[in-house]
Amino acid sequence: MQAEPTLKSVRISPGRRLGSVLWRLLAVLATAAMLLVLALIFWTVIKGSLPAWSWSVLTTPTAGLTGGLENAILGTLWLGFLTIVGVGVIGVATASFAVVYAPEWVREMLILMSDILSGVPSIVFGYVGYMAFVVVCGWGFSALAAVVTLTMLSLPYVVRNTVQAFDKVPVEIRDAAKALGFSRARTLWSLMWPYSLSGIATGAILALSVAMGETGPLLYTAEWSDNLPSLALTHHSVAYLTYVVWTFIQQPYPQANALAYMAGLLLMVVVGAMAFATRFRAMERR
Amino acid sequence: MVELKTENRPMTALRLDHVSLRVGKHTILNDVSMDLPKGRVTALVGPSGSGKSSLLRVLNRLWDGVPRVRVDGSVWYGDTDLYAKRVDVSVVRSHIGMVFQRPTPFPKSIFQNIALPLGVYGAARSEIAGRVESALKTVGLWDEVSGRLNQSALTLSGGQQQRLCIARALAVEPTVLLMDEPASALDPKSRRRIDELILSLKDTVTVLIVTHHLDEARQVSERLGVLVNGRLVAFGETDAVFASQNDVVARYLSRHDEG
Ligand SMILES: Nc1ncnc2c1ncn2[C@@H]1O[C@H](COP(=O)(O)OP(=O)(O)OP(=O)(O)O)[C@@H](O)[C@H]1O
Ligand SMILES: [Mg+2]
């Protein structure tokens, strides 16, 4: 015989209710604070960029501290494109090796190394990239030196996300593929990759937004150029938006400052759109 | 071992010869020997954790690549020891198929689920559609899905998914089919369909089925093995094993009949 449940035991005690109200209040305040910070940033950037609002910003390259942002915009897109290709291929290959081919300890080592990589300050990547690619490889300040550096820097994001996506493939399904005689390569190709596509995409976009927001590593590897980016991968400096943000903001000329704010705004919009795209995909998946 | 080759029993599809399985220091299967008669259904029963699933995984080398696992003894398929060097695992698995406890459809179309493994074994493009159809007919799924072959296999019901997985395993025409509690996740009607399907495979495919349902074992199998704690405590004609006076066996079988 069970005791009759009384309403008293079901009701939430006043203490617990107060606690829950306080927690909710705290959460709302924290959220409000975050939104406030975001709004403040947008307001500052938009206000600062107002003098530069004209279509010509998009269609003229910089000339010293004046002109437009065309070279920087195209340069950022060019570097971003090359980086996402590099980081996608190397990241997915690394994760595939770690999950499907490597013995357990190698897998753990790879993931650990990738985590360590993500803790290295980006300026260190810049310096290493400068020494290794610009000087030793002799590529000069170039898209290639910059992209290889950015690839190393953003690799952990793709590796992490891809490994996580792979781990979500049910063990039974992998066993079934194994029992059907699928080779590991075939399992990757027909099962793991299709299954993990959105996880991989999330990692790649995250990596891209990190790479596009970097300044330090690029100062050392891509340098800067007033010219539009060329298809030559070596010995040609490349322009990029973060350079404008970083250097033009320090100048005593209002025109240069406006360009810096404009570059910041453009970056925020592009990275924000990509973040939105990944969130949206994540929501769709549910 | 060499004389086995000359002995060459034509009626045995698969012979386990003193098979032991260890994971680390843990012994999961202890000196198991048994013959699976060709074209017949053999059932394997035993308490949970006794090593039934592990035994099935030994038979198509699914333990390959799992760390700290050691398989001792031999599994003879005709005159080939499956654990000998230079045996191609993927060929082993094409001869010895497997169906799991829970349905394992790939997140692809119904058609692709069967076509994919066919492609792995190099079936000609022109014959794939026909073989998919006949595999689906074998498991009685054709009428239900012929109009929606390009839909995702995940849209099928559990029972349909399991029959699809059986069709997928049968499509590559294995001589031996290992089934690990294939009907345990299903409703009674689907379970009966699968029992009928197993009976219909008789003479074409050798079946080794793990089950918790003694009724099912009695109905579908001609041979019965009882596995307790990694040891095969009884093996023989199904009726004879049920009639066994052996303590351990009788205790396991009777306890189940009551429950
Ligand atoms: N990968 C593994 N590593 C270590 N031990 C394992 C592994 N797989 C199974 N075992 C152990 O082997 C023993 C037998 O497991 P198995 O799954 O074969 O039992 P079973 O007879 O199929 O049980 P059930 O009826 O519950 O399915 C269990 O003690 C289990 O913990
Ligand atoms: Mg089991």
Side-chain angles (χ1 to χ4, degrees):
Chain A
M1 279 283 124
Q2 270 190 328
E4 192 92 354
T6 64
L7 266 182
K8 193 160 172 267
S9 65
V10 173
R11 212 175 281 152
I12 300 170
S13 72
R16 262 178 70 191
R17 174 174 292 170
L18 185 66
S20 124
V21 167
L22 281 179
W23 270 119
R24 189 178 300 185
L25 196 67
L26 197 68
V28 168
L29 283 179
T31 310
M34 198 201 75
L35 288 176
L36 194 71
V37 170
L38 200 63
L40 204 63
I41 292 176
F42 261 102
W43 186 70
T44 311
V45 173
I46 292 176
K47 184 161 165 277
S49 67
L50 278 180
W53 277 70
S54 86
W55 289 116
S56 66
V57 166
L58 303 177
T59 53
T60 39
T62 51
L65 292 172
T66 59
L69 292 171
E70 190 189 8
N71 54 336
I73 294 168
L74 291 179
T76 289
L77 292 178
W78 178 228
L79 294 179
F81 168 75
L82 292 175
T83 302
I84 204 167
V85 171
V87 82
V89 170
I90 299 177
V92 172
T94 307
S96 303
F97 176 75
V99 173
V100 176
Y101 289 94
E104 211 170 308
W105 68 272
V106 175
R107 171 199 154 111
E108 293 308 314
M109 280 293 292
L110 280 171
I111 293 176
L112 182 71
M113 269 156 50
S114 147
D115 284 353
I116 291 174
L117 215 55
S118 70
V120 175
S122 63
I123 198 74
V124 174
F125 281 103
Y127 189 65
V128 170
Y130 173 75
M131 290 307 287
F133 309 126
V134 177
V135 178
V136 175
C137 293
W139 296 339
F141 292 115
S142 59
L144 190 59
V147 164
V148 177
T149 307
L150 288 181
T151 297
M152 295 193 312
L153 177 144
S154 55
L155 198 57
Y157 299 90
V158 176
V159 172
R160 261 275 159 216
N161 274 281
T162 308
V163 166
Q164 267 171 17
F166 283 172
D167 284 345
K168 279 199 204 120
V169 179
V171 183
E172 294 120 356
I173 302 264
R174 287 178 62 182
D175 272 348
K178 209 171 155 188
L180 282 167
F182 283 32
S183 65
R184 294 195 253 208
R186 166 71 68 156
T187 307
L188 273 173
W189 176 256
S190 307
L191 232 81
M192 309 286 276
W193 290 343
Y195 228 122
S196 319
L197 224 45
S198 60
I200 295 172
T202 303
I205 291 176
L206 197 61
L208 181 61
S209 55
V210 168
M212 282 173 73
E214 282 298 344
T215 318
L218 292 179
L219 291 173
Y220 279 98
T221 52
E223 204 190 13
W224 168 253
S225 162
D226 275 337
N227 303 321
L228 298 185
S230 72
L231 287 176
L233 289 178
T234 56
H235 299 290
H236 285 75
S237 309
V238 188
Y240 44 94
L241 287 168
T242 45
Y243 178 90
V244 180
V245 178
W246 170 249
T247 40
F248 284 32
I249 203 80
Q250 307 172 22
Q251 305 301 324
Y253 312 108
Q255 225 182 339
N257 296 162
L259 278 181
Y261 282 116
M262 192 61 182
L265 182 65
L266 286 172
L267 269 176
M268 281 168 63
V269 168
V270 171
V271 171
M274 291 191 308
F276 185 77
T278 52
R279 291 314 306 159
F280 193 69
R281 291 185 64 110
M283 263 158 57
E284 253 186 351
R285 241 180 298 152
R286 257 173 243 151
Chain B
M1 291 306 153
V2 185
E3 62 265 38
L4 272 174
K5 222 170 175 176
T6 48
E7 202 177 336
N8 202 4
R9 306 184 177 186
M11 299 309 289
T12 298
L14 213 52
R15 151 179 295 194
L16 286 80
D17 194 10
H18 300 288
V19 170
S20 294
L21 172 74
R22 248 169 296 233
V23 180
K25 285 185 182 147
H26 193 57
T27 301
I28 293 173
L29 293 173
N30 200 338
D31 198 23
V32 173
S33 298
M34 65 198 245
D35 287 2
L36 303 189
K38 203 170 232 165
R40 298 287 178 266
V41 178
T42 303
L44 192 59
V45 298
S48 183
S50 57
K52 304 180 296 295
S53 302
S54 308
L55 180 65
L56 290 203
R57 296 171 66 95
V58 166
L59 301 186
N60 67 351
R61 292 190 47 177
L62 224 48
W63 289 108
D64 281 25
V66 181
R68 301 190 311 282
V69 167
R70 216 179 109 187
V71 178
D72 292 306
S74 311
V75 179
W76 293 96
Y77 178 76
D79 54 9
T80 318
D81 178 0
L82 299 184
Y83 280 87
K85 285 198 181 96
R86 281 188 295 175
V87 168
D88 183 344
V89 195
S90 118
V91 174
V92 170
R93 290 170 184 159
S94 75
H95 286 250
I96 303 175
M98 186 152 179
V99 176
F100 297 81
Q101 179 167 1
R102 286 202 283 157
T104 52
F106 299 145
K108 295 186 170 274
S109 73
I110 296 170
F111 183 86
Q112 277 296 321
N113 259 274
I114 300 177
L116 213 57
L118 282 176
V120 170
Y121 291 110
R125 203 167 269 277
S126 55
E127 64 180 53
I128 284 186
R131 286 178 69 174
V132 169
E133 179 177 339
S134 78
L136 287 172
K137 280 182 172 156
T138 309
V139 299
L141 207 52
W142 178 251
D143 294 334
E144 290 158 64
V145 304
S146 59
R148 48 190 279 214
L149 289 177
N150 290 319
Q151 280 181 26
S152 165
L154 302 179
T155 62
L156 296 172
S157 75
Q160 289 173 327
Q161 287 185 5
Q162 190 63 309
R163 276 185 285 151
L164 177 68
C165 292
I166 298 175
R168 186 176 67 187
L170 289 175
V172 297
E173 295 175 354
T175 53
V176 179
L177 187 62
L178 310 169
M179 305 178 100
D180 193 354
E181 302 183 43
S184 67
L186 306 180
D187 60 291
K189 189 163 165 236
S190 308
R191 212 183 290 160
R192 224 170 304 124
R193 294 197 72 139
I194 288 186
D195 285 348
E196 283 160 19
L197 172 60
I198 293 169
L199 286 172
S200 75
L201 294 176
K202 206 176 145 174
D203 295 331
T204 46
V205 183
T206 305
V207 174
L208 177 59
I209 179 175
V210 169
T211 177
H212 274 295
H213 294 273
L214 296 180
D215 293 342
E216 185 182 32
R218 212 195 285 260
Q219 266 166 34
V220 301
S221 74
E222 296 179 26
R223 295 282 187 101
L224 179 66
V226 181
L227 201 63
V228 176
N229 258 330
R231 284 177 188 279
L232 195 63
V233 294
F235 183 66
E237 303 280 331
T238 301
D239 294 335
V241 173
F242 270 104
S244 165
Q245 297 300 314
N246 177 303
D247 250 13
V248 188
V249 179
R251 204 175 333 131
Y252 173 71
L253 293 178
S254 68
R255 188 176 56 205
H256 259 256
D257 270 347
E258 287 159 13

